[in-house]
Amino acid sequence: MANSKYDYVRGFEAPHHLLRDTYIILRLDGRCFTKFAASHHFQKPNDPRALHLMNASASATMRFIPEIALAFGQSDGFSFLLPRECALFDRREEKLLSIVVFLWPQYFAGETGGEEQRPFMAPPSFDCRATCYPHVENVKHYFSWRQVDTYNNNLYNTTFWALVLKGGLKRHEAAEELQGTSSADKNEILFSRFGINYNNEPAIYRKGSVQQKQQEEEHETAGIPKFKSKTPRKKEEKRTRKTKIVIDHVDIIGEGFWERRPWLLGSGN
Amino acid sequence: MANSKYDYVRGFEAPHHLLRDTYIILRLDGRCFTKFAASHHFQKPNDPRALHLMNASASATMRFIPEIALAFGQSDGFSFLLPRECALFDRREEKLLSIVVFLWPQYFAGETGGEEQRPFMAPPSFDCRATCYPHVENVKHYFSWRQVDTYNNNLYNTTFWALVLKGGLKRHEAAEELQGTSSADKNEILFSRFGINYNNEPAIYRKGSVQQKQQEEEHETAGIPKFKSKTPRKKEEKRTRKTKIVIDHVDIIGEGFWERRPWLLGSGN
Amino acid sequence: MANSKYDYVRGFEAPHHLLRDTYIILRLDGRCFTKFAASHHFQKPNDPRALHLMNASASATMRFIPEIALAFGQSDGFSFLLPRECALFDRREEKLLSIVVFLWPQYFAGETGGEEQRPFMAPPSFDCRATCYPHVENVKHYFSWRQVDTYNNNLYNTTFWALVLKGGLKRHEAAEELQGTSSADKNEILFSRFGINYNNEPAIYRKGSVQQKQQEEEHETAGIPKFKSKTPRKKEEKRTRKTKIVIDHVDIIGEGFWERRPWLLGSGN
Amino acid sequence: MANSKYDYVRGFEAPHHLLRDTYIILRLDGRCFTKFAASHHFQKPNDPRALHLMNASASATMRFIPEIALAFGQSDGFSFLLPRECALFDRREEKLLSIVVFLWPQYFAGETGGEEQRPFMAPPSFDCRATCYPHVENVKHYFSWRQVDTYNNNLYNTTFWALVLKGGLKRHEAAEELQGTSSADKNEILFSRFGINYNNEPAIYRKGSVQQKQQEEEHETAGIPKFKSKTPRKKEEKRTRKTKIVIDHVDIIGEGFWERRPWLLGSGN
């Protein structure tokens, strides 16, 4: 087809290729989630429906993008790890962001659908960022950072909502009471006032959700699974739709998690 | 909440702010659309259902993001113009891409839903890129580029499918026949062999779809509508949900289109 | 020559092309200049030798890079304007920075040379940044920003050093005395205590230095001089070495300066 | 000092911070070096004066920027390695480029000075680029890539100039004769026609120059030298001016070089 004199406008495009040979973490974050939660009458401090919906969406994303080695989610955020070798979309940032963000509402809306669906009332929305991490230790620290955040947020929220829902405090009173308290303080409030042993709360709330593909026998022996980026989509989809995703609620901080799953970080560095 | 020693990992993030005082064009493009079209038995060369779905999705996007001044769509692509003054998300590229890509499948899936929906069979997917254009003339040329592309593609496709569906040629034969032909040649093939006057084909196919918000009286006199970026979402949504979007299938190449709509490009230069 | 298996390392390079069709301003800034000034016994508040050396270096830079349309310098900084159309080094940021930074010390060292030169005692150093400005008004505002800075800094320094050198104050006492003072206050201090009418100070100190190429007759009538980027260096150098650079110490804030020199900003918008 | 309404122009600046925890390699490359060489009557194929001048400039650069762990130079190029931990200038690309490019001509001009200096006749010029390499292996491969390039270029040039200077061929004839020849072919031409055993050529020509700081006793035992980035310049300069730089012409391809100098790449991975 004939080109036109207007074609020069393509020269303004500035695609960004993420630095080669680094781990890529794609982090999806909710926007306006509080409103969405309110308008859907989410349970406080945690709504199992919402967490399972997030987890199901993440699993579907992992099936659709087989390059994803690991996912970690809590509340309205999910992080996806791509290996150092990842060549998907030639590592173009906008393409990588787009595919995750595009997939999410399909799964998400899919399960909130029907009568329940009120898409414009207080629509949640997600954005995604891509960050490069050069080393295995950076990646471990990244996931530790997310889980520490989960710990802190959930302990705070659990105590806050206990004070409000069971203690009869107004929200601003609960917030004031918790200002400056340590983790030990919050544990003590929960236990002494409400008889709640925080460590008995469901692990999904306290630790978040770790998702990974089940390693088949041959993978475990071979060490590192192959991530292919440019095989024909169709065939890959068939294969990956059968992939079993394992969801755990375990400690990801520390070396134990990674030592038991050496394939997650590839050949290391 | 306590920070942790892992917080340093945020330092690897490299958010990208698009150059100030430039027009931003967000272009959404379909991936694997051909397969999607095939599996949904789209009409050839153009499927009205698909085009109207694209247009409806774009209108909904324009209502949700009131900063969008203009949209142009054809086939499986849509371009959205943000004004020079746009401060949405502090012009962070990943946030701007995310919101468009996140909204799209909600509208898109919404109307293909029900029995028809086969989300995993040959899922279409869209990615979005953001490009800065410094000057009014660049923006005009950008939209001219898209419309020239529409002209060329649709004339080719119309002729190709006439040769296949009415002329009984195999696809590769039609492709060979069209190789090296001019626009005049294709018009002649359509007219002499199939009695088709190309200029009578629906304008939506030939010229694509231009979407803009209807200008109210005070706007028309005031010249340039104000684009607000940080007003409370909720109030804005109410206002904008009522905004009427006008869809035209007109020439956007040349000065006439822009001269009749001086508010589209703001204060100029 | 044979390629090697190591060539892949080039794939990590990420050259940055500055956005097309925007003005580029290269700003050179001194580092550790105070020390350099001290070790060379610079006069306070302004040392004519240093300013003339800066101006001479900037003129030489303008002769060597004929694309530069305008330069503005004050103290240890110099800004160079490249036109919207500039295609020098395909607008690669690192190349543009490099050429200015590489040229500078040659001129600079050249004239401080001889006995005086003590290159390692407290070496000054310069760094350069490149910034894109899309519009004529941004460019005017940029140079206004630099000149307002010149005004403020020089008034402060003139008053500070009058208090120290003529008023016998210690430096910290002078700094305390000036804290919170307005421009009018400083003018008053200079006049009432030291008999200095600030407006009679040399314009080079108060307004900085504006450099531009002398427009020949045909240029003035033709309006806009052509900037060529890829002509053979050698020929260009001969031509440009003859180019006369005009140095003024005039107001660049406001429209007057630009209206009298319409060729500086090219075809406008 | 009072801010002005023009300060907004700073918002267009887009400083680029190089990805944390990656090795940074700064590569200085000559532009128009051939002309410079010709106008200074450089010896062919290699001019010892020029190479020693490059080496001396690189040593001075290493003394001035103590963070540099290793340098490799050949012909008109030099590469400098900064360690993963480098925090110099907060890893701002433009600052890192500037300092190397600014230092170079001072040393370079310094030694070509006097009667010899003809700065504008065919001025050489250098530009510098910064590239991030995440892993030890990337860094080793980078330097291997440079040395393979040195091997190939020098063998070619040695043979080419032997054909021209000793064999009486015109330049285009020599170029034609060498087209498509292997390394073995070139060795054979040198030996059979000109009695030159290429392996007896000076190592500085064949292998380039490797520069590193001499490790003192305590460093060798401690393993990894500390690189400090923000200590007061002055003190650091004194210390580093005494630093002895070692220049070798050895194989850097392969593991041997790195195994004998474990401190060069820091804590590894």
Side-chain angles (χ1 to χ4, degrees):
Chain A
M1 321 236 164
N3 291 331
S4 78
K5 62 174 173 173
Y6 304 119
D7 288 1
Y8 83 93
V9 297
R10 296 208 71 172
F12 291 78
E13 294 183 7
H16 184 219
H17 297 263
L18 297 168
L19 185 64
R20 285 177 58 154
D21 221 350
T22 59
Y23 295 95
I24 298 170
I25 293 180
L26 301 170
R27 182 164 87 250
L28 196 84
D29 267 317
R31 281 198 335 121
C32 310
F33 212 77
T34 310
K35 267 189 198 171
F36 179 70
S39 71
H40 284 75
H41 311 292
F42 275 18
Q43 280 180 237
K44 287 297 178 183
N46 291 291
D47 187 287
R49 276 185 309 160
L51 289 181
H52 290 134
L53 181 52
M54 288 289 286
N55 269 327
S57 303
S59 297
T61 300
M62 289 186 78
R63 277 191 197 94
F64 192 75
I65 310 175
E67 286 84 354
I68 297 173
L70 182 72
F72 176 81
Q74 94 288 13
S75 180
D76 61 343
F78 240 101
S79 299
F80 298 98
L81 174 67
L82 291 167
R84 273 172 60 178
E85 301 81 6
C86 178
L88 188 61
F89 301 124
D90 206 16
R91 300 175 75 91
R92 275 185 63 179
E93 186 174 18
E94 62 203 7
K95 298 265 185 185
L96 290 167
L97 297 181
S98 288
I99 195 165
V100 170
V101 176
F102 187 81
L103 290 171
W104 206 256
Q106 298 183 55
Y107 308 131
F108 208 76
E111 307 208 11
T112 50
E115 292 294 296
E116 283 297 307
Q117 200 170 21
R118 285 170 293 179
F120 287 113
M121 235 187 90
S125 144
F126 289 85
D127 61 58
C128 189
R129 74 194 65 200
T131 309
C132 292
Y133 290 98
H135 304 289
V136 158
E137 64 193 350
N138 307 136
V139 172
K140 292 177 184 172
H141 291 166
Y142 174 87
F143 284 103
S144 298
W145 173 56
R146 298 319 305 139
Q147 197 168 53
V148 166
D149 204 52
T150 309
Y151 284 157
N152 290 336
N153 285 337
N154 191 63
L155 177 56
Y156 181 92
N157 289 337
T158 303
T159 318
F160 177 90
W161 287 104
L163 289 169
V164 171
L165 298 177
K166 302 184 179 169
L169 269 61
K170 289 189 166 34
R171 292 183 188 200
H172 72 92
E173 293 169 340
E176 279 161 27
E177 176 134 2
L178 290 177
Q179 201 159 18
T181 55
S182 68
S183 293
D185 295 337
K186 295 189 195 80
N187 269 288
E188 180 59 25
I189 290 171
L190 285 172
F191 190 70
S192 61
R193 294 206 217 167
F194 307 106
I196 296 170
N197 184 336
Y198 182 69
N199 288 327
N200 294 340
E201 291 291 293
I204 186 175
Y205 302 159
R206 290 183 293 117
K207 304 193 176 194
S209 298
V210 180
Q211 299 200 13
Q212 50 181 314
K213 279 172 289 219
Q214 184 156 52
Q215 293 300 310
E216 296 162 34
E217 289 311 304
E218 68 268 39
H219 280 168
E220 298 238 29
T221 51
I224 314 135
K226 295 277 185 302
F227 297 99
K228 285 178 191 170
S229 296
K230 296 195 165 176
T231 52
R233 255 303 146 204
K234 193 140 191 185
K235 198 182 292 175
E236 200 159 74
E237 275 153 29
K238 265 189 203 139
R239 178 173 63 74
T240 55
R241 234 166 299 142
K242 286 184 260 168
T243 304
K244 200 177 163 197
I245 308 287
V246 183
I247 307 183
D248 292 313
H249 315 292
V250 295
D251 281 323
I252 200 168
I253 301 174
E255 290 300 316
F257 176 84
W258 305 99
E259 280 168 7
R260 285 189 295 280
R261 297 162 184 85
W263 57 84
L264 286 179
L265 294 170
S267 51
N269 46 334
Chain B
M1 320 230 167
N3 291 330
S4 78
K5 62 174 174 172
Y6 305 118
D7 288 2
Y8 83 94
V9 297
R10 296 207 71 173
F12 290 78
E13 295 183 8
H16 184 220
H17 296 264
L18 297 168
L19 185 65
R20 285 177 58 153
D21 221 349
T22 60
Y23 296 93
I24 299 170
I25 293 180
L26 301 171
R27 182 163 87 249
L28 195 84
D29 266 318
R31 279 197 338 119
C32 310
F33 211 77
T34 310
K35 267 189 197 170
F36 178 70
S39 71
H40 283 76
H41 310 292
F42 275 17
Q43 280 179 235
K44 287 296 177 184
N46 292 291
D47 187 288
R49 275 184 312 158
L51 289 181
H52 291 134
L53 180 53
M54 289 290 287
N55 269 327
S57 303
S59 297
T61 300
M62 289 186 80
R63 278 192 196 91
F64 192 76
I65 310 174
E67 286 84 354
I68 297 173
L70 182 73
F72 176 81
Q74 93 287 12
S75 180
D76 61 343
F78 240 101
S79 300
F80 298 98
L81 174 67
L82 291 166
R84 272 172 60 179
E85 301 81 6
C86 178
L88 187 63
F89 301 124
D90 206 17
R91 299 175 76 91
R92 274 185 62 181
E93 186 174 18
E94 62 204 6
K95 298 265 185 185
L96 290 167
L97 298 182
S98 287
I99 195 165
V100 170
V101 176
F102 186 81
L103 290 171
W104 206 255
Q106 298 183 55
Y107 308 131
F108 208 77
E111 307 206 13
T112 50
E115 292 294 296
E116 283 296 307
Q117 200 170 20
R118 285 172 292 180
F120 286 113
M121 236 187 87
S125 145
F126 288 86
D127 61 58
C128 188
R129 75 193 66 199
T131 308
C132 293
Y133 289 97
H135 304 289
V136 158
E137 65 193 348
N138 306 137
V139 171
K140 292 177 183 172
H141 291 165
Y142 174 86
F143 285 103
S144 297
W145 173 56
R146 300 316 308 141
Q147 197 168 53
V148 166
D149 203 52
T150 309
Y151 284 156
N152 290 336
N153 286 336
N154 191 63
L155 177 56
Y156 181 91
N157 289 336
T158 303
T159 318
F160 177 89
W161 287 104
L163 289 169
V164 170
L165 298 176
K166 303 183 181 172
L169 268 61
K170 290 191 164 37
R171 292 183 187 199
H172 73 91
E173 293 168 341
E176 277 161 27
E177 176 135 3
L178 290 176
Q179 201 159 17
T181 55
S182 67
S183 293
D185 294 338
K186 295 190 195 78
N187 270 287
E188 180 60 23
I189 290 172
L190 285 171
F191 191 72
S192 63
R193 295 207 216 166
F194 306 107
I196 296 171
N197 184 336
Y198 181 69
N199 288 327
N200 294 340
E201 291 292 292
I204 186 175
Y205 301 159
R206 288 183 294 117
K207 305 195 174 191
S209 299
V210 179
Q211 299 201 13
Q212 51 181 313
K213 278 172 290 222
Q214 183 157 54
Q215 294 300 309
E216 296 162 34
E217 289 310 304
E218 68 267 40
H219 280 168
E220 298 237 29
T221 53
I224 312 137
K226 296 278 185 299
F227 297 99
K228 285 177 190 168
S229 296
K230 295 196 165 176
T231 52
R233 259 297 148 208
K234 194 141 192 185
K235 198 181 292 176
E236 200 158 73
E237 275 153 29
K238 265 187 202 138
R239 178 174 66 72
T240 56
R241 234 165 299 140
K242 286 183 260 168
T243 305
K244 201 178 161 196
I245 308 287
V246 183
I247 307 183
D248 291 313
H249 314 292
V250 296
D251 282 323
I252 200 168
I253 302 173
E255 291 299 316
F257 176 84
W258 304 99
E259 280 168 7
R260 284 189 297 278
R261 296 161 183 87
W263 57 83
L264 285 179
L265 294 169
S267 54
N269 70 325
Chain C
M1 319 229 169
N3 291 330
S4 77
K5 63 174 173 173
Y6 304 118
D7 288 1
Y8 83 94
V9 297
R10 296 206 71 173
F12 290 79
E13 294 182 10
H16 183 220
H17 297 263
L18 296 168
L19 186 64
R20 284 176 61 152
D21 221 350
T22 60
Y23 296 95
I24 298 170
I25 293 179
L26 301 171
R27 182 163 89 249
L28 196 83
D29 267 318
R31 279 199 336 123
C32 311
F33 211 76
T34 310
K35 267 189 198 170
F36 178 70
S39 70
H40 283 76
H41 311 292
F42 275 17
Q43 280 179 237
K44 287 295 179 184
N46 291 291
D47 187 288
R49 275 186 310 160
L51 290 181
H52 291 133
L53 180 53
M54 288 289 287
N55 269 326
S57 303
S59 297
T61 300
M62 289 186 80
R63 278 191 197 93
F64 193 76
I65 310 175
E67 286 84 354
I68 297 173
L70 182 73
F72 177 80
Q74 94 288 13
S75 180
D76 61 342
F78 240 101
S79 300
F80 299 98
L81 173 67
L82 291 167
R84 273 172 59 178
E85 302 80 6
C86 178
L88 188 62
F89 301 123
D90 206 16
R91 299 174 76 90
R92 274 185 62 180
E93 186 173 19
E94 62 203 6
K95 299 265 185 186
L96 291 167
L97 298 181
S98 288
I99 195 164
V100 170
V101 176
F102 186 81
L103 290 171
W104 206 256
Q106 299 183 55
Y107 309 131
F108 207 77
E111 306 206 13
T112 50
E115 292 294 296
E116 283 296 307
Q117 200 170 20
R118 286 172 293 180
F120 287 112
M121 236 188 88
S125 143
F126 288 86
D127 61 57
C128 189
R129 74 194 65 199
T131 309
C132 293
Y133 290 97
H135 304 289
V136 158
E137 63 192 351
N138 307 136
V139 172
K140 292 176 183 173
H141 291 165
Y142 175 87
F143 284 103
S144 298
W145 173 57
R146 298 319 306 140
Q147 197 169 51
V148 166
D149 204 52
T150 309
Y151 284 157
N152 290 337
N153 286 336
N154 192 63
L155 177 56
Y156 181 91
N157 289 336
T158 303
T159 317
F160 177 89
W161 286 104
L163 288 169
V164 170
L165 298 176
K166 302 183 179 172
L169 268 61
K170 290 192 166 36
R171 292 182 188 201
H172 72 92
E173 293 168 340
E176 278 161 26
E177 176 134 4
L178 290 177
Q179 201 160 17
T181 54
S182 67
S183 293
D185 296 336
K186 294 190 196 80
N187 269 288
E188 181 59 23
I189 290 171
L190 285 171
F191 190 71
S192 61
R193 294 206 216 165
F194 307 106
I196 296 170
N197 183 335
Y198 182 69
N199 288 327
N200 294 339
E201 290 291 293
I204 185 175
Y205 301 159
R206 289 182 293 118
K207 304 194 175 192
S209 298
V210 179
Q211 299 200 14
Q212 49 182 314
K213 278 171 289 222
Q214 184 157 53
Q215 294 300 310
E216 296 162 35
E217 289 311 304
E218 67 268 40
H219 280 168
E220 299 237 29
T221 51
I224 312 136
K226 296 277 185 302
F227 297 99
K228 285 176 190 168
S229 295
K230 296 197 163 174
T231 53
R233 259 296 148 207
K234 193 139 192 187
K235 199 181 291 176
E236 200 159 73
E237 276 153 27
K238 264 186 204 141
R239 177 172 65 71
T240 57
R241 235 166 300 142
K242 287 183 261 169
T243 306
K244 202 178 160 197
I245 307 288
V246 183
I247 307 183
D248 292 313
H249 314 292
V250 296
D251 282 323
I252 200 167
I253 301 173
E255 291 299 316
F257 176 85
W258 305 99
E259 280 168 6
R260 285 189 295 277
R261 297 162 183 84
W263 56 85
L264 287 180
L265 294 170
S267 54
N269 70 327
Chain D
M1 323 234 163
N3 291 332
S4 77
K5 63 174 173 172
Y6 305 118
D7 288 1
Y8 83 93
V9 296
R10 295 207 71 171
F12 291 78
E13 294 182 9
H16 184 219
H17 297 262
L18 296 168
L19 185 64
R20 285 176 58 152
D21 222 349
T22 60
Y23 296 94
I24 298 170
I25 293 180
L26 301 171
R27 183 164 87 249
L28 196 84
D29 266 318
R31 282 198 333 122
C32 311
F33 212 77
T34 310
K35 266 189 198 170
F36 179 69
S39 71
H40 283 75
H41 311 292
F42 275 18
Q43 280 179 237
K44 287 297 179 184
N46 290 290
D47 186 289
R49 276 186 310 160
L51 289 181
H52 291 133
L53 181 52
M54 288 290 286
N55 269 327
S57 303
S59 296
T61 300
M62 289 186 79
R63 279 193 196 91
F64 192 76
I65 310 174
E67 286 84 354
I68 297 173
L70 182 73
F72 176 80
Q74 94 287 13
S75 180
D76 61 343
F78 240 101
S79 299
F80 298 98
L81 174 67
L82 291 166
R84 272 172 60 177
E85 302 80 6
C86 178
L88 187 62
F89 301 123
D90 206 17
R91 299 174 78 90
R92 275 185 61 180
E93 186 174 18
E94 62 203 6
K95 299 264 185 186
L96 291 167
L97 298 182
S98 288
I99 195 166
V100 170
V101 176
F102 187 82
L103 289 171
W104 206 256
Q106 298 183 54
Y107 308 131
F108 208 75
E111 307 207 12
T112 49
E115 292 294 296
E116 284 296 307
Q117 200 171 21
R118 283 171 294 178
F120 286 112
M121 237 186 87
S125 146
F126 288 86
D127 61 57
C128 189
R129 74 195 65 200
T131 309
C132 293
Y133 290 97
H135 303 289
V136 159
E137 65 194 349
N138 306 137
V139 172
K140 292 177 184 173
H141 291 165
Y142 175 86
F143 285 103
S144 297
W145 173 56
R146 300 317 306 140
Q147 198 169 53
V148 166
D149 204 51
T150 309
Y151 285 156
N152 290 336
N153 286 336
N154 191 63
L155 178 55
Y156 181 92
N157 289 337
T158 303
T159 318
F160 178 88
W161 287 103
L163 289 169
V164 171
L165 299 176
K166 302 183 180 172
L169 267 61
K170 290 190 166 33
R171 292 183 187 200
H172 73 92
E173 293 168 341
E176 278 161 26
E177 175 134 4
L178 291 177
Q179 202 159 17
T181 56
S182 67
S183 293
D185 295 337
K186 296 189 195 81
N187 270 288
E188 180 60 24
I189 291 171
L190 284 171
F191 190 71
S192 62
R193 293 206 218 166
F194 307 107
I196 296 170
N197 183 336
Y198 182 69
N199 287 328
N200 293 340
E201 291 291 292
I204 186 175
Y205 301 158
R206 289 182 293 118
K207 304 195 175 190
S209 298
V210 179
Q211 298 200 14
Q212 50 181 317
K213 278 171 290 216
Q214 184 157 53
Q215 294 300 311
E216 296 162 34
E217 289 311 304
E218 67 268 38
H219 280 168
E220 299 237 31
T221 52
I224 313 136
K226 295 277 185 301
F227 296 99
K228 285 178 190 168
S229 294
K230 296 196 165 175
T231 53
R233 255 302 145 204
K234 193 139 193 186
K235 197 182 293 176
E236 200 159 75
E237 276 153 29
K238 266 189 204 137
R239 178 173 63 72
T240 56
R241 235 165 299 141
K242 286 184 263 168
T243 305
K244 200 177 161 196
I245 307 288
V246 183
I247 307 184
D248 291 313
H249 315 292
V250 295
D251 282 323
I252 200 167
I253 302 173
E255 291 299 317
F257 176 84
W258 305 99
E259 280 168 6
R260 286 189 295 278
R261 298 163 183 84
W263 57 84
L264 286 179
L265 294 170
S267 53
N269 71 330

